[in-house]
Amino acid sequence: MAKGKFWSEFKEFAMKGNVIDMAVGVVIGGAFGKIVTSLVSDIIMPAVGALCGGLNFTDWKWVISQAVMNGEEVVKPEVAITWGNFLQVIFDFIIIALCIFLVIKGINKAKALSEKKKEEAPAEPEAPAPKPDDVVLLEEIRDLLKQKN
């Protein structure tokens, strides 16, 4: 494949509307994900932890082997399964999915209301169809005959 043809095909692919729309969606989705993650980790989970007696889910773990220390120096770090962090990520996912569901549901409801308003709006009276040339000609003849009489 020629180099110029490759780049022209790539440019055609990259500039398609659906590719650009998808890229914008990914960027906005990433920003929305950060907002919801902050909502979960900074607002909801501290409240849940307070209701559960000050628990912090991200601290929950199963230690497989303890860290090996030489004074203050870590010789071998701790090996642990941090299942509390996994639980936190599951909560993040559920709340993000719920937020996306609510946003999509709101958009669909707004779209349905908009379509309903369009259906209920009184239709503008249609302009009468233009008369055929022969009818116009016959009407002119009729009017001229009326004027002569």
Side-chain angles (χ1 to χ4, degrees), residues 9 17 23 29 44-45 49 52 54 67 73 75-76 104 115 130 134 138 141 148:
E9 287 180 11
I44 294 175
M45 292 313 289
C52 296
E73 180 184 349
V75 177
K76 181 181 170 191
I104 298 299
E115 289 174 3
D134 56 344
L138 287 172
I141 294 171
K148 281 189 175 183

Side-chain angles (χ1 to χ4, degrees), residues 76-147:
K76 181 181 170 191
E78 172 184 82
V79 178
I81 297 174
T82 55
W83 65 277
N85 190 48
F86 179 69
L87 191 62
Q88 177 73 38
V89 171
I90 290 174
F91 285 138
D92 288 353
F93 171 77
I94 290 170
I95 292 171
I96 289 170
L98 178 65
C99 288
I100 291 172
F101 170 75
L102 292 173
V103 167
I104 298 299
K105 186 172 179 164
I107 290 170
N108 288 341
K109 188 171 184 174
K111 190 184 292 186
L113 286 174
S114 174
E115 289 174 3
K116 186 177 179 182
K117 284 182 181 180
K118 284 181 184 177
E119 290 174 2
E120 291 176 354
E124 294 182 21
E126 293 183 22
K131 296 179 184 178
D133 290 340
D134 56 344
V135 172
V136 172
L137 183 61
L138 287 172
E139 287 176 347
E140 288 175 2
I141 294 171
R142 179 199 63 202
D143 293 342
L144 289 171
L145 289 173
K146 281 184 182 178
Q147 287 177 355

Side-chain angles (χ1 to χ4, degrees), residues 18 24 34 62:
N18 54 357
V24 169
K34 288 180 183 179
W62 288 316

